[in-house]
Amino acid sequence: MEGWESIAMNGFDIFSLILWTGLIIYGIFWLYRFIEGKRAAKVLKPEEFKQDMRKVQIVDIRESPEFEAGHVLGARNIAFSQFKERYLELRKDQPIYLYDQRNVLSGRAAAILKKNGYSNIYALKGGYDNWDGKIKKGR
């Protein structure tokens, strides 16, 4: 019987090793994505975000229903789910200000832009939840 117990224990150890290895790889992947986003965009406090709003492209990357419920005045909507297909609508010669609900996806959108030759990319610190400026309310 000792043989079966030994095999069962080794099977459990192998499963644990595979599980922990997967979790570590997953964690490294998300850490990489986080750092990539931080390098791609400068994060602005709401006060800084407001300063040049008339001279920049403001992009709300939330989905359409969230955008329509309320958004930063002057923003256009390019949902993150469509961002890889629609980022070409943005001009490279003007700064781009990005925001989402809580600044979770802005870094990923900024990384897409940076990889495709865009510069002057900024993200709203804390996202729309942290915005205290003018908004356009939906219906």
Side-chain angles (χ1 to χ4, degrees):
M1 283 296 205
E2 285 183 31
W4 288 108
E5 290 173 358
S6 174
I7 291 171
M9 186 57 153
N10 286 337
F12 178 74
D13 289 344
I14 291 170
F15 175 76
S16 295
L17 178 65
I18 292 170
L19 178 66
W20 280 108
T21 302
L23 288 172
I24 290 168
I25 290 170
Y26 183 75
I28 290 170
F29 169 76
W30 281 106
L31 180 61
Y32 169 77
R33 298 288 288 270
F34 175 77
I35 292 170
E36 179 184 49
K38 289 289 185 187
R39 287 184 174 171
K42 180 180 178 191
V43 178
L44 300 176
K45 295 176 184 175
E47 302 80 42
E48 298 169 309
F49 200 88
K50 291 175 196 172
Q51 285 179 352
D52 294 319
M53 285 180 57
R54 295 182 192 274
K55 303 174 189 170
V56 303
Q57 303 170 87
I58 305 170
V59 183
D60 184 326
I61 60 171
R62 299 176 300 158
E63 296 300 316
S64 293
E66 295 168 302
F67 178 81
E68 291 169 8
H71 57 270
V72 172
L73 190 64
R76 65 191 290 186
N77 185 227
I78 301 178
F80 185 75
S81 62
Q82 303 169 357
F83 203 78
K84 286 183 180 179
E85 293 82 30
R86 294 187 54 204
Y87 74 87
L88 291 169
E89 296 173 20
L90 299 171
R91 294 177 52 170
K92 288 185 177 183
D93 64 336
Q94 291 182 344
I96 300 170
Y97 282 24
L98 300 168
Y99 73 91
D100 57 47
Q101 196 67 36
R102 292 181 191 88
N103 203 20
V104 176
L105 296 174
S106 296
R108 290 176 59 192
I112 291 168
L113 292 171
K114 187 168 185 171
K115 283 180 185 177
N116 288 285
Y118 288 80
S119 57
N120 293 322
I121 308 164
Y122 303 88
L124 175 61
K125 183 177 184 176
Y128 187 72
D129 284 350
N130 194 37
W131 182 248
D132 60 356
K134 293 181 181 180
I135 60 171
K136 182 173 182 181
K137 285 277 189 186
R139 299 169 209 142

